[in-house]
Every structure is written in structure tokens, then in C-alpha cells.
Amino acid sequence: MVSPLRSTLIALSKSTRMQDLIVGMPISRRMARRFVAGETLPDAIDAIRASNATGLLATLDFLGEHVHSQAEASVNADEYIRALLAIRQAGVDANISIKLTAMGLAVDDDFCYRNVRRIVEVAALLGNFVRIDMEDTPVTDRTLAIYRRLRGDFPNVGVVIQAYLYRSQEDVRSLMDQGMAHLRLCKGAYDEPPAVAFQAKAEVDQNMTDLIRLMLESQDKFPGAYPAVASHDHRIINWVKAYTHHHGIAADRFEFQMLYGIRRDLQQELADQGYRMRVYIPYGTRWYPYFMRRLAERPANLLFFMRALVGG
Ligand SMILES: Cc1cc2nc3c(=O)[nH]c(=O)nc-3n(C[C@H](O)[C@H](O)[C@H](O)COP(=O)(O)OP(=O)(O)OC[C@H]3O[C@@H](n4cnc5c(N)ncnc54)[C@H](O)[C@@H]3O)c2cc1C
């Protein structure tokens, strides 16, 4: 079952009043730094460089979801273009991850598409890649529709599929059929109702391995199908290692991904074993919703935070 605590924290991640309170506290800024590389682009480039130095690849996320004006969405897209140029200039190995609600999805789908297209075009010119993160189910169809539009013109774009959704098997199959399955597979970070999503962890985990298997076993039939397994769950990771070893699937036909600041030991272990291991590196000042989702994923994080608050 999804815990009431998780639901509460995810609901609070959308509260502007709570945001003002939490962001204003030095202790929460300090704790957020565990999950966020810093507030500026140079901070983010430093974090990428440090990751690359130990064999880890990176994907960069400029924080700031749910904007409600074209002006804000354009500023966000401009920042990503700056980030792509900075990645090139610094000579580091990183692509970028974007959220459509940061790109103007709340304003208008066509505006959002055009705004993202600007980024994807620059990325294509630079030989780089853009991942579209998946947000909650009110925007799933629109996110996939914009992804399909972009992917029709650009091979350097991918999207995310969440294993907690019942629909995901069908989405993966149809994206593979269309030759568009450059997919990050994750469990899913939002609070979704039983009408659309598995609630039990065991069911989500089962669907996660089913989706990974579906992609790995069909890769030869579907050119371009490339799964990125985004999880810190050692059982899922061990399953992928065993499955690919058993079926002779080369380590360059998939990758692992994890979030900055989480299971660094396991990240390094995988890279040292010769797997592609990509770290998701967020930066920027608007870290509150991202931070709350990280607390929601692990009660121990929340406990640590509460203790720090009480202890001053
Ligand atoms: C690179 C990447 C990109 C992602 N992109 C998206 C996206 O676009 N859309 C989306 O909905 N979700 C996204 N997620 C989040 C994902 O859906 C899960 O919420 C998150 O990864 C936790 O699930 P898990 O697979 O790690 O397994 P879990 O079963 O939740 O956790 C397994 C173990 O991992 C460790 N762990 C997990 N989370 C934390 C944490 N916050 N702090 C400390 N330890 C932790 C713990 O040891 C835990 O026991 C992404 C995750 C990653 C790694």
C-alpha cells in the first residue's frame, strides 16, 4: 500500500505556503544539498566533472516545474540551452533531463512543444540528447504526445515510463512499434490512485522487471530500443545484471541511472564493473518539490530531516 506519509509529503510538495516555510530554513537548504548539486550552472558542471572523473555519466536537471507563464517557460528553456553549451565548453559527458510543466505545458501544448523543440534542436547540433521526465498522470498523455511529435523529427530525444502505472506495458509496446523506445524506466515518484496505478510495492517491482525484460528481449526486433534502468533498488539492479549476463546482452545496450546523492556506493560499484551508470544531477534554486519527493521515497530521510529541525 502507498503509505499515508508518502501521500502527505507528495501533497505538501505542491503547497506554496509549505514551500516558503521550508525553503526559508537554513537547515532544509543544507539537507537539500545532499540531493541537489548547487544553485548555479557552474555548480552543476563541477558536479558533472566530479562524477565523470570516477567513470559516471550524467544527466542535468534545471529545477523548476509547474510554471504558469510563457515568459517563465522561455527562461527555463534558455537556461537549458545555456547548460548544453556549458556542457560542450567544459568537455564533460552529460545530457539533459527536462520536465514539460517547466516548459509551458500549463500554458498551451503547442507553445510547450515549440519551446522544447528549441532545446532539442540545439542538442542535436551539439550531438547531445534530451530526456523528457514523466510527471503525474494528469499530464501523461500530453507528455507522450509531445514526445512523439518531437521524436518524429529528432532521434536525440527520449522519454520516461513509470512502472507503477497499469498503462505502461501498452505504452512501451507502442513506442517500440513506432521505433521510439529510447526509454528511462523508473518506478514512479508521484501519488497515483488505484484506478491508474499499482499500490503494492511488490506489484510495482514486478512490473518494473517485466518492462525491462520486454525491452531487453525485443531490442533486436525494434531498432533504437534502448532502456535506461533508473532505480536504486539492488534487487532490480541484480536482476538486470543476471538477466543480461544470462542472455549475452552487451553492457552498451542499456544503462543504469540513479539520483545524485543516493546510493553513491552502488553507483560507483556499477561503473567499476563496466556498466554505463548515469547520475541525475539537479541544480537551481527551486529545489523544494524535488526535495519533498526524495523525502517521500524514504521515511529515514524524513526522520533525519525532522531530527535536524528539532535539534536546530
Ligand atoms: C535517474 C532517475 C530519474 C527519475 N526520473 C523520474 C521521472 O521522470 N518520473 C518519475 O515519476 N520518477 C522518476 N524517478 C524516481 C523514481 O520513480 C522513484 O521514485 C525513485 O527512484 C525511488 O525508487 P527506486 O527504484 O529507487 O526503488 P525503491 O524501492 O523506492 O527504493 C529502493 C532502495 O533505494 C534507496 N532509495 C530510494 N529512494 C531513496 C531516497 N530518496 N533517499 C535515499 N535512498 C533511497 C533505498 O535504499 C531503498 O531501499 C527517477 C529516478 C531516477 C533514479
Side-chain angles (χ1 to χ4, degrees):
M1 289 283 292
V2 173
S3 80
L5 182 62
R6 178 165 184 259
S7 301
T8 307
L9 286 168
I10 292 173
L12 285 177
S13 76
K14 294 176 185 144
S15 155
T16 45
R17 205 182 298 169
M18 196 64 181
Q19 170 163 344
D20 292 344
L21 187 73
I22 299 279
V23 170
M25 294 179 192
I27 182 69
S28 33
R29 295 173 86 91
R30 271 205 302 280
M31 185 154 171
R33 275 306 289 261
R34 179 187 156 189
F35 302 111
V36 175
E39 300 204 334
T40 67
L41 184 53
D43 291 336
I45 297 290
D46 284 348
I48 297 172
R49 199 176 275 115
S51 297
N52 286 173
T54 64
L56 305 169
L57 310 169
T59 185
L60 198 57
D61 167 34
F62 176 54
L63 295 163
E65 51 209 83
H66 290 291
V67 302
H68 293 281
S69 75
Q70 288 198 6
E72 283 174 289
S74 298
V75 167
N76 285 342
D78 292 345
E79 174 67 17
Y80 270 112
I81 289 170
R82 255 195 304 280
L84 284 166
L85 295 170
I87 286 168
R88 161 56 69 94
Q89 202 171 19
V92 291
D93 194 333
N95 59 38
I96 58 168
S97 290
I98 65 173
K99 285 188 174 53
L100 293 191
T101 66
M103 294 294 137
L105 197 61
V107 179
D108 168 59
D109 287 31
D110 197 54
F111 166 78
C112 179
Y113 163 75
R114 283 183 281 110
N115 204 30
V116 175
R117 193 183 162 102
R118 287 198 294 134
I119 303 172
V120 177
E121 272 170 353
V122 174
L125 284 172
L126 294 170
N128 210 325
F129 175 83
V130 179
R131 176 77 63 189
I132 301 177
D133 287 351
M134 188 56 79
E135 300 176 73
D136 48 6
T137 45
V139 300
T140 307
D141 280 325
R142 292 161 66 204
T143 302
L144 288 176
I146 290 178
Y147 169 63
R148 284 188 164 95
R149 258 180 102 181
L150 289 163
R151 181 77 198 197
D153 288 341
F154 299 97
N156 64 316
V157 57
V159 75
V160 178
I161 295 289
Q162 298 152 322
Y164 62 15
L165 297 185
Y166 304 139
R167 60 179 286 166
S168 290
Q169 294 257 354
E170 223 174 287
D171 285 333
V172 169
R173 283 179 203 282
S174 94
L175 289 165
M176 284 199 304
D177 276 341
Q178 294 169 307
M180 297 185 171
H182 200 310
L183 304 178
R184 176 194 297 151
L185 303 172
C186 67
K187 292 188 187 179
Y190 299 84
D191 188 25
E192 300 292 355
V196 297
F198 297 110
Q199 306 293 300
K201 177 173 162 50
E203 289 178 305
V204 178
D205 290 358
Q206 182 63 50
N207 203 36
M208 180 86 171
T209 48
D210 288 349
L211 293 172
I212 301 167
R213 183 191 296 112
L214 176 63
M215 286 198 70
L216 288 174
E217 74 188 5
S218 330
Q219 254 179 336
D220 290 336
K221 263 198 319 203
F222 299 100
Y226 180 82
V229 176
S231 177
H232 317 89
D233 188 336
H234 65 275
R235 278 161 304 193
I236 302 273
I237 290 162
N238 287 340
W239 182 90
V240 173
K241 286 165 72 173
Y243 184 89
T244 51
H245 179 72
H246 183 72
H247 293 273
I249 297 171
D252 63 355
R253 301 201 67 186
F254 65 96
E255 68 186 46
F256 291 110
Q257 298 188 349
M258 293 189 213
L259 302 176
Y260 180 81
I262 300 181
R263 294 303 314 263
R264 282 180 213 185
D265 53 339
L266 190 51
Q267 295 178 13
Q268 198 54 56
E269 188 181 304
L270 289 168
D272 292 347
Q273 289 168 349
Y275 292 102
R276 284 186 180 172
M277 173 63 232
R278 192 175 299 277
V279 190
Y280 184 103
I281 300 184
Y283 76 98
T285 55
R286 291 165 295 172
W287 44 263
Y288 172 76
Y290 181 88
F291 175 61
M292 293 299 277
R293 287 197 294 277
R294 303 295 78 82
L295 293 187
E297 279 158 1
R298 196 156 185 251
N301 288 347
L302 180 68
L303 250 173
F304 184 77
F305 181 51
M306 299 303 278
R307 280 208 197 102
L309 276 182
V310 174

